[in-house]
Amino acid sequence: MNFSAAIRFFDPYFRKPWQVTTFAGVLILLLCLQAQFKPLGDFGNYWYGSKFLTQGTFDLSIYDPFTFNARIEGAGEKQVFLNYTPIPPATALIYTPFVIFEPALAKLIWNLSTSALFLWSLFRLFRFYRISFRWVLLAVLVFFFPIKSNIDQGQTYLLLFFLLAEGWMAYEREQYWKAIFFWMPGIVLKIFPAFVLIYILLRRDFKTAAWLVASVLAFCGLTMLFIAPEIWKYYLTEVLMRIGDGAINDPYAHSYQSLQVLLKNIFIPDDLLNSDAPFDSSSAYLVIYAFMRGMVVFLLITHLINQHTHLDKLVITVLAALLLTGYGSTYSLIFLMVIFPAIISRGAFTRWNVMQLVLVVFACSIPVHLLTTAPLLWAFPRLYALLFLFFVLTLHTNRIFPRPAWIMGLFVIVITFFTSLHVVKSQPGKWVSNAQPLLNGAMDVSPDLKLGTVMLHTQARDVKGETIQTYYTSMLSTDTLPIHFTRHEIRVNGRVFSFPKEQIAGAYAGYEKDELTIYYLSDWMRGPGFYALRVVRMPARGRGK
């Protein structure tokens, strides 16, 4: 039995392309309408970022979650928690046309327009590979939850799929400038679509790769006419590096379904976010994580060098990108839709093809939000499905492992090892675990740390965006010491403390039980701007002198 025979099941119901288009269109229209009854979601990040840009107030405070939410609350949006941190500054320019509408209406217009582009490119992609239009219907049903997640959040991934697919078809027709035209804005919107560079480079098309990189840099350079260079500097040197390390807001959140998050949950305990870790071994995390990343890259390059169709190579590149990122999501699974034409174009209903389809259906259908309280090893089924799918596609079809694959795999292992060494190094401070509101759902803490008569206090916001007062019980006396701090350094009592992998907000120093004690707000391992209280205690040498 082949795929052509299987799809004939739909013949009595969908004989014409317009029937499939109507069904899929109505389904997505209903999703867009029901999303209007839900919170603003991630779309609020884009809309308010662009709004502040048009008002001339797009500054570094955009990347401080507490200040960003305070400004949004001041604009009249209540009970919402937003986070602009992972978004490139240039994105604010792209969403600017939508700020002429109110946020809810802008989200509806955005969802309708990006959904239409998504469906249009999906039909074109299937027609490009001469696959029956009826498979579009099945693809939409299989990817129902990723599509719904995109629409509920007002995310960009339906637009990114359109840009990826159109660029891919242009590239296959050797229309390289047209491909660059589509791929460039996708990389500017989100860093993730840059995985196409891997594919282009391994096809030895260095000219197209160079022009694509140059066009992205040129566009980002032009944005400096509207966006201050220091914002770009902060994003590239602070935010982007931290995102690459998996620090978004909660680096232990099961919803990310990534290899990095799983290994952190197993091997890296944290008083605030992961107190029940089964092991405390940063070295084990480092070695296993580096090895697994190297293995993925090794098999990816092996597959790209060996003889496979271009579409099969694209599928493996997408899968590898999903596995290498530390920040997975349901809506990013929309990229996996390219696996449908890849499998169906092979024709036969073999056990390997069916297994791949089953794994894709399983990965797209898992209600990850219901697994937050599941036992640790049971809480990452999507990750296991994607890993299994990747290994099935690579190990089953490759028998020759070329030297470049070994070299690049080893290179990635070494790079991952050294860039993650800071996880092994002990930090000078410890979390203050008696800051109870932080353990009770506070998502975001104000960088303003204040000293009361018997305690330190600040403000925080919970996941609903509501402000709560956060108190840190402390015996800190009023006998405080002069202290000077910058973003990565604290100076007190002749001592210097450096914090290259975290940002410092507020800090106080004093004496507790004959110990020099420093309290400071830090976003260590929590994502840029997501502060919690840490403390350093040491012998009080020279007190009273």
Side-chain angles (χ1 to χ4, degrees):
M1 185 176 181
N2 59 29
F3 288 110
S4 298
I7 203 63
R8 287 172 189 160
F9 169 80
F10 294 104
D11 278 353
Y13 314 101
F14 299 99
R15 296 179 180 274
K16 301 293 182 180
W18 69 265
Q19 294 172 315
V20 174
T21 306
T22 301
F23 181 88
V26 169
L27 177 62
I28 290 180
L29 175 61
L30 292 175
L31 290 178
C32 292
L33 294 176
Q34 64 87 33
Q36 294 303 106
F37 298 95
K38 296 194 173 184
L40 196 56
D42 291 345
F43 183 79
N45 294 317
Y46 306 117
W47 192 90
Y48 277 103
S50 298
K51 182 69 172 180
F52 295 145
L53 180 64
T54 60
Q55 293 175 343
T57 58
F58 190 90
D59 52 29
L60 282 178
S61 67
I62 293 291
Y63 286 99
D64 177 72
F66 190 92
T67 306
F68 182 57
N69 281 278
R71 292 175 63 183
I72 291 172
E73 186 176 4
E77 195 78 43
K78 303 296 184 182
Q79 294 186 338
V80 61
F81 179 82
L82 300 177
N83 175 26
Y84 202 81
T85 303
I87 302 173
T91 305
L93 280 173
I94 297 175
Y95 279 80
T96 299
F98 292 89
V99 301
I100 64 175
F101 307 104
E102 291 299 313
L105 178 58
K107 180 180 178 180
L108 178 62
I109 295 172
W110 171 264
N111 278 335
L112 291 173
S113 56
T114 55
S115 297
L117 291 173
F118 164 72
L119 278 179
W120 186 65
S121 63
L122 188 61
F123 272 98
R124 281 173 46 80
L125 184 65
F126 277 62
R127 187 169 65 231
F128 182 80
Y129 287 102
R130 296 181 175 85
I131 297 172
S132 171
F133 62 87
R134 298 176 183 86
W135 283 103
V136 173
L137 176 62
L138 187 59
V140 170
L141 294 176
V142 168
F143 285 84
F144 175 82
F145 289 108
I147 293 172
K148 183 178 184 297
S149 178
N150 270 281
I151 293 174
D152 286 347
Q153 293 292 330
Q155 261 290 351
T156 62
Y157 285 85
L158 295 180
L159 175 62
L160 291 178
F161 180 88
F162 161 76
L163 295 172
L164 173 68
E166 292 297 321
W168 171 258
M169 289 183 284
Y171 190 83
E172 288 293 275
R173 296 188 181 103
E174 299 183 355
Q175 298 170 343
Y176 301 123
W177 282 107
K178 187 176 179 180
I180 291 173
F181 174 80
F182 284 108
W183 285 339
M184 182 272 290
I187 296 174
V188 170
L189 271 171
K190 293 280 188 180
I191 304 299
F192 184 81
F195 66 78
V196 296
L197 276 171
I198 301 174
Y199 174 82
I200 297 173
L201 288 171
L202 289 174
R203 280 189 61 170
R204 300 178 183 273
D205 187 0
F206 302 116
K207 182 179 178 181
T208 302
W211 278 112
L212 178 57
V213 172
S215 64
V216 170
L217 294 177
F219 183 87
C220 293
L222 288 174
T223 64
M224 293 186 188
L225 296 173
F226 310 95
I227 298 172
E230 58 265 24
I231 298 177
W232 270 109
K233 180 182 178 182
Y234 176 78
Y235 179 80
L236 294 174
T237 59
E238 299 282 352
V239 177
L240 193 58
M241 300 301 293
R242 300 279 294 280
I243 290 175
D245 197 35
I248 303 295
N249 42 41
D250 179 358
Y252 296 93
H254 295 177
S255 59
Y256 294 158
Q257 292 290 297
S258 71
L259 181 64
Q260 185 180 46
V261 172
L262 172 61
L263 293 177
K264 281 184 177 180
N265 273 279
I266 295 175
F267 295 110
I268 309 292
D270 185 281
D271 291 340
L272 295 181
L273 302 174
N274 191 36
S275 58
D276 297 326
F279 301 100
D280 183 0
S281 177
S282 301
S283 300
Y285 162 80
L286 188 60
V287 171
I288 296 173
Y289 182 49
F291 174 78
M292 290 299 295
R293 283 173 65 94
M295 178 64 71
V296 170
V297 172
F298 166 72
L299 292 175
L300 167 65
I301 295 176
T302 295
H303 195 88
L304 294 182
I305 291 178
N306 285 332
Q307 297 298 318
H308 297 286
T309 67
H310 292 168
L311 187 57
D312 283 333
K313 293 180 179 181
L314 177 65
V315 169
I316 290 297
T317 306
V318 170
L319 261 176
L322 290 171
L323 290 173
L324 291 173
T325 183
Y327 180 58
S329 61
T330 300
Y331 39 74
S332 64
L333 292 177
I334 204 71
F335 287 124
L336 268 184
M337 196 170 277
V338 297
I339 202 171
F340 256 79
I343 295 175
I344 296 165
S345 60
R346 298 172 195 154
F349 246 135
T350 65
R351 60 180 180 177
W352 293 108
N353 289 337
V354 172
M355 180 187 298
Q356 292 165 36
L357 284 175
V358 170
L359 287 171
V360 170
V361 172
F362 180 70
C364 292
S365 305
I366 298 171
V368 174
H369 63 282
L370 299 179
L371 301 175
T372 54
T373 59
L376 180 58
L377 293 181
W378 291 95
F380 290 81
R382 180 193 296 161
L383 171 65
Y384 304 146
L386 294 181
L387 279 170
F388 191 36
L389 177 61
F390 180 79
F391 288 129
V392 164
L393 285 171
T394 53
L395 295 177
H396 173 65
T397 56
N398 295 296
R399 295 293 181 267
I400 300 175
F401 302 101
R403 182 180 298 176
W406 290 99
I407 294 173
M408 285 303 299
L410 181 60
F411 176 75
V412 170
I413 290 175
V414 172
I415 291 297
T416 302
F417 186 88
F418 283 103
T419 55
S420 301
L421 269 179
H422 66 278
V423 177
V424 177
K425 296 178 181 178
S426 60
Q427 292 297 293
K430 295 182 179 297
W431 293 121
V432 177
S433 58
N434 64 349
Q436 293 300 328
L438 288 182
L439 300 177
N440 259 339
M443 283 292 296
D444 179 30
V445 177
S446 166
D448 185 17
L449 183 65
K450 299 178 181 179
L451 179 64
T453 55
V454 294
M455 64 184 66
L456 294 168
H457 65 92
T458 183
Q459 287 184 326
R461 292 178 184 272
D462 60 17
V463 71
K464 296 180 181 179
E466 296 179 354
T467 302
I468 57 177
Q469 193 74 13
T470 305
Y471 291 94
Y472 308 104
T473 303
S474 169
M475 295 302 294
L476 188 66
S477 72
T478 55
D479 185 18
T480 58
L481 296 171
I483 188 169
H484 175 74
F485 65 90
T486 61
R487 188 174 291 161
H488 299 292
E489 185 179 84
I490 294 177
R491 294 176 178 268
V492 60
N493 208 30
R495 301 185 186 185
V496 179
F497 301 90
S498 296
F499 307 88
K501 292 292 183 178
E502 58 190 299
Q503 293 187 94
I504 306 303
Y508 275 96
Y511 293 109
E512 291 182 2
K513 299 178 181 179
D514 293 324
E515 288 183 319
L516 173 62
T517 304
I518 304 173
Y519 286 96
Y520 62 100
L521 287 173
S522 163
D523 62 1
W524 166 251
M525 294 290 287
R526 301 194 73 219
F530 285 87
Y531 299 107
L533 196 68
R534 290 175 72 84
V535 62
V536 178
R537 292 186 175 93
M538 63 206 75
R541 68 185 186 190
R543 181 176 181 179
K545 293 184 179 180

